[in-house]
Amino acid sequence: MGTSQSREDYISDSDYEESESGESSQYDDAQETSSSSSQSGTKTLNSLDEVDAKLKSLKLKYATPQSPNVKNPVKLYLHIGGNTPKAKWVISDKLTSYSFVRTNKINGGNDSDDDEEESEGVLGDGFWVLKVGSKVRAKVSTEMQLKMFGDQRRIDFVDKGVWALKFFSDSEYRKFVTEFQDRLFENVYGLKATEENKMKVYGKEFIGWVKPEVADDSMWEDADDGLDKTPESVTPVRGNRDLLEEFEELANGGVQSLTLGALDNSFLVSDLGLQVYRNYNRGIHNKGVSVRFDGGSSKIGSNSTPKKALLMRGETNMMLMSPLKDGKPQAPGVQQLDIETGKIVTEWKFEKDGTDITMRDITNDTKSSQLDPSESTFLGLDDNRLCQWDMRDRSGIVQNMVKGDSPVLHWTQGHQFSRGTNFQCFASTGDGSIVVGSLDGKIRLYSKTSMRQAKTAFPGLGSPITHVDVTYDGKWILGTTDTYLILICTLFTDKDGKTKTGFGGRMGNKIPAPRLLKLTPLDSHLAGTDNKIHGGHFSWVTENGKQERHLVATVGKFSVIWDFQQVKNSAHECYRNQQGLKSCYCYKIVLKDESIVESRFMHDKFAVTDSPEAPLVVATPMKVSSISLSGRR
């Protein structure tokens, strides 16, 4: 366990630092001399020639020019030693140069700096890569995990290792960052990074996403100042917290998913069946009870291990969804498990207008509806479908479970889109509004009364949204991509001066810029190149007036925790000297000895008085752990 405060935060190189300090002291002297001479009544210096002549007459010792006579000069560093006590930065090249080239190959081949542009600003074949001397050749993408240190004129990034570039002037640093962001836009969208094309991609309402420096951040400030602060009766977020592992137990092996309950029990779905755990204030404990899945033939045509488990009806029933094919999430139906008896009571088919269909995901109608003992409906999602399913027939009567064909779920409301939506994931708010993430990075907001047309559609940043979550009050959305989390504020002020969320109406043209939650390049590299961020969640509340306090996501063997209040704070130190969208790198890491399947916070009611949050449950294929955020050192 640990935090993100790692050894890569500052590069100290004696030659470079001495040169900088020498330059600084000499220019300080020059400024002081100039100031005193001005006060003594000397004539005003009206031209650069006069200024230069005056400085020369003072016989100052000029510093050696910091910027060598090389195009795009930089100093290249390599981080070695990983996260060990011997970790350090070493100089890889004291003086080299960088360039952005367009190519069809990452490794080898002849590069050309010529951009073959097509009409209307569309780029030709190939993509942009960053070259630094002969040692770095990386495709410009979010996988580089580029991090900016404006005060050090430095950027860090990942390319088969962790590298840093130091620039010789502020202007050269800013030039690189601007060019990198433009090349990233062009690689993602295949369009030249012109203002016109950026408006075409994002829309004029999202000018703040294109130019964060002109974005209206007042909603972040307003929300931070009171709209969604935790009530005083709830334990406040404290500093100096440690992560304490309360329980760790062996699972039966092959854990596929974690399903937390807000009442007595939580569950692990594994290859062998369903394991039942008891909920406590310090975490979850194995009850020694398990339900084995029947290995016989399924009526709905799927015999694989369930990948999705959804609690319903006061957490006495569970809907299990198994994909038809390995590697594909789509399922033709769901199995309904009675938890008290441990038996599958029925197998439901997905059907619309007499035709069998599939779903890629299911979720509860609202954040708290799994606690409703009479719940008979749930939401479904496929690539181009968003709907609500009902276990009752059209007359509202519970269907008769007779032997033979599987009963058909009733499609109560929803919409089948013609094409192009590429839905991937969804979540519901406390009042039943729905947020949907898509393959193209878009995030759509639907009201609880209409699934046909989104009230608001955020453009995203081009990376597919693999998971999405939303706060109980609908004011904040957390989208997960392979390389970062995107936090979106849905609040806006309507024409009557009322504060609303984007689920209830169009947000107009004052939409706040999102914030990104990222790993540092070093932590990203340590997590492994093949490991992707997944399953970003808010902590769990099911009552109005309570506010989620943390966010958690998983990557490789890391469970990563961010302080929600800190991320929302615009004055947070992470955001200083950044260019572009604000990115937060302040987090805590829970490290396990095998890849983590899922990390989730227990329900808010399980938070104890000396902890600012309910326990975090971390499931790996072989173990399940409960972690407390302690208010003590």
Side-chain angles (χ1 to χ4, degrees), residues 349-545:
K349 285 171 57 178
F350 296 128
E351 183 180 296
K352 185 178 188 300
D353 300 330
T355 302
D356 292 346
I357 61 174
T358 60
M359 292 279 114
R360 67 178 298 129
D361 200 4
I362 55 174
T363 195
N364 297 105
D365 287 347
T366 73
K367 279 276 187 183
S368 58
S369 59
Q370 71 185 58
L371 303 175
D372 180 1
S374 63
E375 180 190 24
S376 293
T377 60
F378 59 93
L379 302 173
L381 184 80
D382 203 17
D383 294 355
N384 64 339
R385 301 183 185 102
L386 175 62
C387 65
Q388 183 186 55
W389 295 107
D390 196 336
M391 292 183 283
R392 300 165 297 189
D393 64 18
R394 295 181 184 275
S395 302
I397 301 173
V398 176
Q399 299 187 52
N400 185 24
M401 310 305 173
V402 296
K403 293 183 178 180
D405 292 338
S406 295
V408 175
L409 289 162
H410 173 45
W411 174 299
T412 58
Q413 63 168 320
H415 189 65
Q416 182 164 307
F417 299 86
S418 57
R419 58 186 175 84
T421 53
N422 290 317
F423 293 150
Q424 298 291 296
C425 49
F426 68 155
S428 56
T429 66
D431 70 357
S433 300
I434 306 166
V435 54
V436 183
S438 300
L439 188 65
D440 60 2
K442 288 183 179 178
I443 294 177
R444 297 173 173 88
L445 310 187
Y446 294 87
S447 71
K448 59 183 177 181
T449 58
S450 175
M451 299 182 187
R452 178 176 292 272
Q453 185 172 5
K455 291 289 186 180
T456 302
F458 296 102
L461 301 174
S463 298
I465 303 297
T466 60
H467 187 273
V468 70
D469 197 12
V470 60
T471 55
Y472 185 83
D473 56 21
K475 295 175 182 176
W476 308 94
I477 292 168
L478 184 66
T480 304
T481 75
D482 289 347
T483 52
Y484 59 86
L485 303 178
I486 180 170
L487 181 65
I488 297 172
C489 177
T490 71
L491 293 170
F492 74 101
T493 303
D494 68 9
K495 60 183 180 181
D496 298 323
K498 295 180 180 179
T499 300
K500 296 182 177 180
T501 72
F503 291 100
R506 293 186 61 83
M507 294 180 66
N509 59 3
K510 286 193 174 183
I511 298 175
R515 294 189 180 168
L516 306 182
L517 284 66
K518 294 182 176 181
L519 295 182
T520 65
L522 177 59
D523 284 337
S524 178
H525 180 63
L526 293 175
T529 54
D530 295 330
N531 290 316
K532 301 172 182 178
I533 299 175
H534 62 92
H537 288 277
F538 292 102
S539 51
W540 187 16
V541 301
T542 55
E543 296 178 44
N544 285 318

Side-chain angles (χ1 to χ4, degrees), residues 252 268-275 290-293 305:
N252 286 344
L268 285 180
V269 178
S270 71
D271 294 336
L272 299 178
L274 189 72
Q275 295 173 246
S290 62
V291 177
R292 287 190 174 273
F293 299 130
T305 301

Side-chain angles (χ1 to χ4, degrees), residues 26-57:
Q26 289 157 11
Y27 278 109
D28 286 344
D29 290 342
Q31 290 167 356
E32 290 170 5
T33 307
S34 175
S35 174
S36 62
S37 63
S38 174
Q39 291 173 358
S40 63
T42 56
K43 70 174 183 177
T44 304
L45 304 178
N46 294 320
S47 70
L48 289 176
D49 290 339
E50 289 176 334
V51 172
D52 194 49
K54 180 64 178 176
L55 289 174
K56 286 181 179 179
S57 71

Side-chain angles (χ1 to χ4, degrees), residues 247-251 277 284-287 622-625:
F247 308 133
E248 182 175 79
E249 298 179 328
L250 288 174
Y277 287 75
I284 65 174
H285 255 320
N286 196 334
K287 292 179 67 173
M622 301 302 294
K623 296 177 182 177
V624 59
S625 305

Side-chain angles (χ1 to χ4, degrees), residues 220-231 475 547 565:
W220 288 88
E221 302 300 336
D222 292 343
D224 197 40
D225 288 341
L227 274 173
D228 61 5
K229 275 192 175 178
T230 302
K475 295 175 182 176
Q547 181 62 51
Q565 199 71 17

